[in-house]
Amino acid sequence: MTRHRESAAGSSFWQHPLLGSGTRALLAGVRDGGGVSVSRLPDLTAAVGSSVMRWPARILQKAIVRRRLARLGEPPPPIFLIGHWRSGTTHAYNVLSHDPQFIFPDPLAAGLPGEFMVMERFLRPHMSRLLPGDRWVDALAVNPDSPQEDEIALANLQPLSFVHAAYFPRRFRELLLRGVFFDGCSEAEIEGWKGSLRDYLRALWLARGEGTLLVKNPAHTARIGILRDLYPDARFIHLRRNPYDVFRSTLRFWRTMIDQFAWQDPRSVTDEVVEEVVLEVYARMMGKLLEARDHLPANRFVEVGLEEMEDAPLATVEQIYQTLEIDGLPKARPSLDRYLRSIQSYRKRSYTPDPRHVSMIQSRWAPFIEAWDYEVPA
């Protein structure tokens, strides 16, 4: 069996997402993940201490949200940007986030979801120094205003999250399936997750202005039914990509995440296990997506390919706005165009498909390859 070598570096403590956890969520996540390696005990101790010290700020933020919510009411239905990991959701998110009507989690709001409203004035001047220069998985730049996934916030508010699979790789498959599909979860756990999402998006909307929430999260691809229970009028943008590219890139994504953020030995999960879990999760996730898609109104769901987003980004954005009946594109177009010009030099990694992977993908993902008419990359 092939085992991955132990990471030589990993993230610094100050850049680990668990540093922003609430105390209960942190301890429950460690418990569910099977504990931490001895070498990570100082990190855990520091994270617990930091969480306890921030407790008054969390209490104050809850009071602020209650007061403002009573005055302003509930936020409008969000727009969810979905698609399997490495399908182009980040690129689409970065483009759409340049429309000023949208509100989205930034690094501070994602990293300290329970207290960002209170601590922002103290921490924002230091964010550039605390953040990594780019995302480890794809070298895209990160700055204090970069749009972030709400999953990082959810993982710090309660223990039910797929990112815990990277933090605690001994239970990689179990935590990933629980975090994406809620496998084996009680009704109380699922209701707790729903409450955390609802409360977080309320706080974000109240803190960032009364625009439309734009939320990007690959795991939401499998949660459309739950999200529609919470937000019946929510809209969904699905990004799809050649499954052969998705598989290869997702393997790299998980290995990078584990090496950087594991609080257990990264070698606890083998490459073979990661491959098998990626094959399993994609098939289940896409199956749920196609099933849910058939029950969505035409103006509540749009699907575009990463290839379209890269080749004709403004035309693709126009298609998204028209389908979902989003106003404001003429006003946003200059900002979108400036951003697109700024990334013209960015190039994705090239690779040669592994014949073994091609065979596995064709065997396990055939319905989706056929549905979207993709071929093995040349």
Side-chain angles (χ1 to χ4, degrees):
M1 256 191 186
T2 301
R3 287 185 178 270
H4 195 267
R5 65 181 182 278
E6 189 168 4
S7 172
S11 65
S12 73
F13 169 69
W14 297 109
Q15 293 174 346
H16 199 289
L18 282 177
L19 182 62
S21 288
T23 310
R24 288 185 181 180
L26 175 62
L27 295 178
V30 171
R31 177 202 65 207
D32 294 345
V36 304
S37 299
V38 173
S39 63
R40 287 294 191 170
L41 285 175
D43 298 58
L44 174 59
T45 302
V48 171
S50 171
S51 178
V52 171
M53 290 175 62
R54 298 192 320 273
W55 175 78
R58 291 195 290 276
I59 296 299
L60 180 56
Q61 177 163 305
K62 289 181 180 179
I64 292 171
V65 169
R66 282 197 299 269
R67 185 173 67 249
R68 293 185 184 177
L69 204 62
R71 185 174 76 252
L72 298 173
E74 294 287 340
I79 297 174
F80 291 100
L81 184 54
I82 59 175
H84 190 276
W85 296 275
R86 315 305 299 152
S87 290
T89 54
T90 298
H91 176 52
Y93 198 24
N94 288 338
V95 173
L96 294 173
S97 69
H98 283 77
D99 184 336
Q101 71 177 299
F102 292 134
I103 297 168
F104 47 84
D106 54 45
L108 183 60
L112 291 172
E115 52 268 283
F116 73 96
M117 297 173 72
V118 176
M119 301 184 68
E120 185 162 35
R121 71 170 62 181
F122 308 106
L123 291 180
R124 182 161 287 278
H126 307 288
M127 288 300 294
S128 295
R129 181 166 50 85
L130 294 174
L131 292 170
D134 56 45
R135 290 170 23 121
W136 286 284
V137 295
D138 51 23
L140 289 172
V142 176
N143 62 61
D145 298 314
S146 295
Q148 305 295 305
E149 293 181 11
D150 67 326
E151 189 73 21
I152 301 299
L154 292 172
N156 286 344
L157 292 168
Q158 48 80 55
L160 193 56
S161 171
F162 73 81
V163 296
H164 287 160
Y167 303 159
F168 307 105
R170 292 178 198 155
R171 297 181 178 174
F172 178 77
R173 180 178 181 273
E174 174 189 346
L175 295 175
L176 188 50
L177 297 185
R178 278 174 55 85
V180 175
F181 305 108
F182 301 146
D183 284 6
C185 294
S186 66
E187 283 298 319
E189 288 176 307
I190 297 173
E191 289 302 314
W193 182 90
K194 290 180 182 178
S196 293
L197 174 64
R198 184 175 55 245
D199 292 345
Y200 176 64
L201 294 186
R202 284 169 171 166
L204 190 64
W205 181 71
L206 293 169
R208 296 292 182 258
E210 299 172 33
T212 300
L213 288 158
L214 179 65
V215 181
K216 175 252 184 180
N217 189 333
H220 286 337
T221 312
R223 302 167 177 162
I224 291 178
I226 290 176
L227 295 175
R228 291 200 74 203
D229 287 342
L230 291 171
Y231 305 103
D233 291 323
R235 289 171 281 189
F236 298 88
I237 305 168
H238 175 229
L239 263 290
R240 55 173 169 77
R241 183 186 183 188
N242 190 319
Y244 299 98
D245 292 328
V246 168
F247 181 78
R248 180 266 318 167
S249 191
T250 304
L251 295 182
R252 183 178 180 277
F253 166 81
W254 280 116
R255 268 305 170 195
T256 302
M257 287 284 291
I258 292 167
D259 280 356
Q260 292 293 336
F261 296 120
W263 274 9
Q264 298 167 347
D265 187 344
R267 298 171 299 182
S268 300
V269 59
T270 65
D271 290 341
E272 289 85 355
V273 169
V274 174
E275 289 176 357
E276 175 59 32
V277 173
V278 169
L279 289 166
E280 177 183 2
V281 168
Y282 182 92
R284 287 184 63 182
M285 180 180 285
M286 293 300 103
K288 282 183 169 291
L289 170 75
L290 295 181
E291 180 181 356
R293 182 184 66 180
D294 295 337
H295 300 285
L296 289 169
N299 64 350
R300 289 292 179 264
F301 179 89
V302 63
E303 180 178 274
V304 297
L306 174 59
E307 302 82 4
E308 302 164 38
M309 197 73 196
E310 291 177 331
D311 295 341
L314 287 176
T316 304
V317 169
E318 184 173 1
Q319 175 194 346
I320 291 170
Y321 279 52
Q322 288 179 348
T323 303
L324 298 183
E325 300 175 353
I326 303 171
D327 296 325
L329 181 57
K331 183 178 179 180
R333 189 181 292 271
S335 178
L336 300 179
D337 192 50
R338 281 194 300 273
Y339 171 71
L340 290 167
R341 288 199 304 269
S342 75
I343 62 170
Q344 283 179 343
S345 62
Y346 177 77
R347 294 291 181 269
K348 298 197 299 288
R349 292 178 175 89
S350 60
Y351 79 106
T352 301
D354 184 329
R356 185 175 65 89
H357 289 167
V358 169
S359 177
M360 292 190 297
I361 293 165
Q362 290 174 335
S363 173
R364 303 281 289 274
W365 295 357
F368 314 108
I369 295 170
E370 294 171 4
W372 292 311
D373 195 26
Y374 280 113
E375 297 179 351
V376 179

